[in-house]
Amino acid sequence: MTAHLVITVVLVPILASIFTLFCGDMMRRVVCQIAGLTVLGSTCLIAYQTGHSRDVLNIVLSGWEAPLGIRLYLDGLSALLLLTTAIIAVCITFFAEAYFGVKARSGRLTFFWPLWFLVWAALNGLFLSGDVFNLYVTLEIINLAAVAMVALPRTHESLKAALNYLVIAFLGSLSYLFGVAILYTSHGTLDIQLLAELAGIDGPYILAAVLIFIGLMIKTALFPLHFWLPPAHASAPTPVSALLSGLVVTASAYMIIRLGFTVFAPLMHTPLTLLLGVLGGLAVLWGSVHALIQERVKMVVAYSTVAQLGYVFLALPVVVSGSDLAAMVWYGVLYFVICHACAKTAAFLAAGTLINVVKHDRIAQLSGAAQHWPMVFMAFGMAGVNLIGLPPSGGFIGKWLMLQAMINSGQWLLVLILIAGSLLAAGYIFRVLGIALQTSEDSRPPVPAPLQLTLTTMILAVLPLLLGVFSQLPFSLLAVGSPFGALP
Amino acid sequence: MAAATPSDILLCLLILSLALGVLGDANPFRGVIIFIVFGLVMALSWTRLDAPDLALAEAALGAGVIGVLFLVALRKQGEKDVSLATQRLRLNSVTIISGLLLIVFIVYLGALGVFSAWKTPGKGLVEPVYESLHLTGVSNPVTAVILNYRAYDTFLEIGVLYLVMLSVFALQPDEKAKFTSTEQYDRMLRSYARGIVPFMVLAAGYLLWAGAFRPGGAFQAGAMLGGAGILLHLSRPAMLLDMRGLVARLSLVAGFFSFCILGILAMLYGFDFLQWPSHLAKHAILTVETASTLSIGLTLTGLYASVERKLISPAIFYSGEEDNP
Amino acid sequence: MIQIIINLVSGGLLIVGLFFFIAGILALWRFPDTLCRLHAITKADNLGLGFIIFAVALQVGWSVLLLKLIVVYLLILYASALNGYLIAQYAHHQDKSNEVK
Amino acid sequence: MTVALLYSITGFLLFLMGICGLIFRSSLIRRALALNITASGIFLFIVAQAYKGESALPDPVPHGLVLTGIVIGASATALMIYLIGVLRYVSPGDNDSGEEE
């Protein structure tokens, strides 16, 4: 039964994508709601069953077992990511509905919906995939759709950002594909679990690892390859920015962790991770400093993505030091990524709500805005709490685990960078809030923020705090099929 | 292992020098022409390496349709666009340096990797593929791989094509394409199209059918159909439906949708997703292939029509606004 | 015996075909303008191809393949006639617009 | 030198040439071409590795992968060309919020 549920999670958004291509406006909204809630329900069930049975699940497709056919692979990590994606995606769907408003009822913007559902399907497919080539195909769908969505405003800036993004994403995929080809050549299989069993360090293996990691580093916008991300994420329409920063980068971060701890696990115990750690550290500092000097809220949030993704790599050098610490890093990074996805989406949606009412997002002109739209800034602040990594949030737990691992292994430089990153994050969040919280003389009656926008933003902003308070459940789910067992 | 013959070496040198031409030629128009030749020579090397399916796909899709798209893109480059063509993307020096470092790194590891990969040739999946071939419903192993063993990948791949068409829709201006008068279009070309298009459709049908037991299949047939569509569009654009119309949209999703339906059907009957029971496999594969061919052909035509929008080819021969590239 | 004659004849036809092809390429390379080049290459190529098809047909004998060869040749003649016409139109138009300038 | 090795190396060189082209060429069309060359290099590498000699059957799985790769690459290129086309019609204007209209 779970096998059927798992397929449902991929198929329903695809069917929704096809149906929304043909529906009128009323019908489309019905389809969106039904599809969104169905996927949400199915992922809840999947997460529940996985957590309950504590078994990983291999789902054979086309009736052919692993080396010949493709398998889907469901463990706690996949289940948790599916659930997070579903919650975020449903919120974005409702947000986008209100955000585009009448503009999306007819004309070219109606094609946003089929694109959007296709991305959702591909995201689910990616989190479930147990095959390195299948990962490539799903990643490609996500990226091409993301490119099209970035170009959606059809302005010069957005088109240039989209083209930049396309070139770099294409290059990243090619690098990844080359790595996959070399893996297949030397091991004769594409299945992740089989590859993990066969892997041993030799020339082709290292080459494959380098190519695959370069490809994924480009897509996660790691430091020297990050330049495409801020313009693409900031110039897209808000629901798309949220999707990109919240989910699309999460997908490539997930791939790095998934492949890094299975197929490339032997390499993770070599000093090569140091290089990734250094780049991650630079990304944290560079991204944070740039976020601090931006003039637009969306640009702040976009640069913050560069910084936050740096943490994923920052903690990797600790893995060398031993299994217990590696487990801490694994849990810490994953929890961090998941909370970041929620918080970042919330931050972008807050910025979008602001644009919807103020028609701009220039920080300098936002003075006093918080007294007109308190809910929006509260949501932004709560998301900010997670981005900084302050205590009640899930981001804090993730960072805390990483920090502990770093301290235990005596990597003081990494500790310093992590703390500096958090302080800088506090800087860029409070800068925006500080200006907004000033009292202004402007007594014009403000346009109230639409309820649907505020509500979805609020839900996503509260989520990381909940993840911080009730962390038991997600951690026990993550432990299902984890390479390290339960958290020590 | 077979030793390389002089003709192999010649072919490889030809490929490399053509690639150099594509990247190095100062005139972008010539670059594109060389790119088309490059595609055809690549097709030759696919044939040499016993991959005729790829040769067909490369010639039809890589060199054919994509080459034509490139040409159109260049043709649209009018006076004001020259600056844009040489406009730098936002590539800072950091990136370039890191790119160079990257290349050095890759060359070093590549020398290591290629040579050791050659010393220990992988086992591959040749044997399992051929062992179960009689259960797949087709006798062409490549078709078996893409439509049976790894049908899920192909399903998503058709999704990519569908996605590209969606993206084009999402970026197209809302007003419908207008065609002033059919008189502008060349009568010769039209009568030629009238004669040749049926042949092309016939050839597409043959490629589709032959895919089961010899080189060919949905992608090759789809590219052929796309070629026919482009020719029709060139000779008589008014004939072409707006791709956003209902019928066109239905045909565009036909391939993707048929995969969904057959996959669901398989699950309802207690099989795995996209599993074809061996006695029905041939029919299932033929069904999705036919639908996909239609979708691919129409997608390619639609892509061409949208890239070309406003400038409909032979008309520009007489318009006088275009410069010789 | 007959096989030897067939081989000889088809070999000769191949050489003749290649000669026309090379002549066409030389013309493409050396001739001054589009119309001249077109004039040379359309004729030489079609003729050369005809000889080569004839040579292959001799080897194939009476079979379905022969029919396919004939269809291929006819399609190529059909296509090249039109291509020549279109290119000539374009070149002619270019000349005219250059004169106006 | 074996056939597989020769073509693998050629593929690898193509890959590197494509990357260099991408870095040193700035025009968008040229970048699209360079990406295609890079992709061709990778495909050539894969297919060369699948080649098992004159008498042996080649491995069809890599062929399937490359077919998928060709189609995806063509799709991405087509999207890129389309975006370049759209970009030509849209001139730079100041749009501070980066939002639609």
Side-chain angles (χ1 to χ4, degrees), chain B residues 6-23:
Chain B
S7 62
D8 283 321
I9 296 171
L10 208 65
L11 189 57
C12 286
L13 287 177
L14 186 60
I15 288 175
L16 288 176
S17 51
L18 282 174
L20 205 63
V22 174
L23 299 171

Side-chain angles (χ1 to χ4, degrees), chain A residues 29-255:
Chain A
R29 262 187 274 178
V30 174
V31 169
C32 285
Q33 282 161 12
I34 291 177
L37 297 177
T38 312
V39 178
L40 185 60
S42 322
T43 46
C44 284
L45 270 178
I46 289 172
Y48 172 74
Q49 285 198 353
T50 313
H52 192 68
S53 65
R54 313 212 62 76
D55 267 339
V56 298
L57 198 65
N58 276 307
I59 298 145
V60 173
L61 295 175
S62 301
W64 300 101
E65 266 298 340
L68 205 51
I70 300 172
R71 294 195 286 196
L72 297 185
Y73 178 75
L74 176 74
D75 62 357
L77 170 57
S78 310
L80 189 57
L81 277 169
L82 284 180
L83 186 57
T84 320
T85 307
I87 295 171
I88 296 178
V90 167
C91 286
I92 297 182
T93 309
F94 282 103
F95 184 91
E97 182 71 58
Y99 183 83
F100 286 130
V102 279
K103 273 190 284 182
R105 303 256 160 92
S106 64
R108 65 185 183 87
L109 275 183
T110 49
F111 295 108
F112 166 78
W113 296 102
L115 274 173
W116 157 237
F117 278 107
L118 204 57
V119 178
W120 192 357
L123 279 167
N124 289 342
L126 186 133
F127 293 137
L128 284 168
S129 181
D131 183 286
V132 278
F133 188 76
N134 188 241
L135 278 175
Y136 163 75
V137 181
T138 49
L139 193 64
E140 202 68 354
I141 295 187
I142 294 172
N143 278 313
L144 290 182
V147 166
M149 286 166 144
V150 169
L152 220 48
R154 249 173 149 261
T155 57
H156 193 79
E157 291 75 20
S158 69
L159 284 168
K160 279 194 75 178
L163 273 166
N164 246 323
Y165 182 21
L166 178 55
V167 169
I168 211 76
F170 199 161
L171 186 61
S173 322
L174 287 178
S175 179
Y176 178 84
L177 181 63
F178 204 173
V180 167
I182 292 168
L183 278 183
Y184 178 81
T185 309
S186 41
H187 299 303
T189 178
L190 294 161
D191 189 78
I192 293 178
Q193 294 166 66
L194 293 180
L195 279 173
E197 287 163 21
L198 293 169
I201 299 181
D202 57 4
Y205 176 75
I206 295 175
L207 179 62
V210 168
L211 287 167
I212 285 180
F213 270 90
I214 287 175
L216 293 176
M217 275 155 57
I218 291 177
K219 299 211 174 196
T220 33
L222 186 59
F223 168 60
L225 309 166
H226 66 280
F227 57 93
W228 60 268
L229 187 142
H233 284 206
S235 68
T238 300
V240 178
S241 312
L243 165 76
L244 289 173
S245 261
L247 295 175
V248 172
V249 292
T250 306
S252 28
Y254 159 80
M255 277 172 73

Side-chain angles (χ1 to χ4, degrees), chain B residues 130-287:
Chain B
Y130 280 95
E131 261 168 30
S132 326
L133 198 57
H134 62 282
L135 297 172
T136 59
V138 290
S139 55
N140 175 2
V142 178
T143 307
V145 168
I146 61 169
L147 285 161
N148 202 326
Y149 300 131
R150 300 183 66 87
Y152 182 58
D153 271 346
T154 310
F155 166 49
L156 293 175
E157 179 192 350
I158 297 282
V160 173
L161 276 165
Y162 161 69
L163 160 69
V164 172
M165 204 60 225
L166 276 183
S167 320
V168 170
F169 286 159
L171 297 173
Q172 238 166 22
D174 282 331
E175 79 274 13
K176 283 189 175 172
K178 287 192 194 75
F179 302 110
T180 45
S181 144
T182 45
E183 283 308 303
Q184 273 180 310
Y185 310 107
D186 201 296
R187 289 204 180 138
M188 261 305 255
L189 189 62
R190 203 187 298 178
S191 69
Y192 171 74
R194 206 174 283 156
I196 208 78
V197 165
F199 275 102
M200 292 177 85
V201 175
L202 190 69
Y206 173 74
L207 275 173
L208 171 67
W209 175 251
F213 48 89
R214 53 163 59 184
F219 293 105
Q220 293 86 350
M224 178 64 95
L225 212 54
I230 291 174
L231 195 60
L232 270 185
H233 180 70
L234 276 173
S235 59
R236 238 186 124 166
M239 239 184 85
L240 198 77
L241 297 163
D242 188 340
M243 283 291 163
R244 288 174 294 189
L246 184 66
V247 180
R249 264 193 262 183
L250 274 173
S251 327
L252 283 176
V253 299
F256 204 35
F257 195 58
S258 66
F259 262 106
C260 289
I261 293 299
L262 287 182
I264 292 171
L265 273 181
M267 281 206 297
L268 287 182
Y269 281 92
F271 297 100
D272 293 328
F273 182 58
L274 294 178
Q275 179 180 6
W276 323 129
S278 58
H279 64 286
L280 291 175
K282 191 179 172 72
H283 304 287
I285 289 178
L286 203 63
T287 311

Side-chain angles (χ1 to χ4, degrees), chain A residues 99 103 108 140 153-157 159 166-167 170-171 174 178 181 184-185 235 238 296 298 355 362, chain D residues 12 15 22 35 42 45-46 49 59 61-62 65 72 80 83 87 90 92-93 95-101:
Chain A
Y99 183 83
K103 273 190 284 182
R108 65 185 183 87
E140 202 68 354
R154 249 173 149 261
T155 57
H156 193 79
E157 291 75 20
L159 284 168
L166 178 55
V167 169
F170 199 161
L171 186 61
L174 287 178
F178 204 173
Y184 178 81
T185 309
S235 68
T238 300
R296 289 175 38 204
K298 278 181 91 173
I355 291 172
R362 284 179 295 273
Chain D
F12 202 82
F15 175 79
L22 207 61
L35 280 167
I42 295 171
F45 178 86
I46 302 177
Q49 296 286 331
D59 189 349
V61 175
L65 304 187
I72 292 181
M80 191 166 168
L83 285 176
L87 186 59
V90 183
N95 193 341
D96 273 337
S97 64
E99 297 289 328
E100 169 87 354
E101 269 101 59

Side-chain angles (χ1 to χ4, degrees), chain D residues 1-78:
Chain D
M1 194 190 288
T2 64
V3 175
L5 183 62
L6 176 69
Y7 283 92
S8 302
I9 291 175
T10 311
F12 202 82
L13 289 176
L14 276 184
F15 175 79
L16 291 181
M17 280 164 72
I19 302 261
C20 288
L22 207 61
I23 290 174
F24 294 114
R25 287 311 195 120
S26 50
S27 122
L28 285 167
I29 296 261
R30 210 58 84 106
R31 286 225 158 116
L33 286 171
L35 280 167
N36 271 284
I37 300 259
T38 314
S40 296
I42 295 171
F43 299 152
L44 191 59
F45 178 86
I46 302 177
V47 176
Q49 296 286 331
Y51 181 72
K52 307 286 184 211
E54 304 290 345
S55 50
L57 292 163
D59 189 349
V61 175
H63 291 185
L65 304 187
V66 170
L67 193 54
T68 307
I70 289 179
V71 174
I72 292 181
S75 308
T77 312

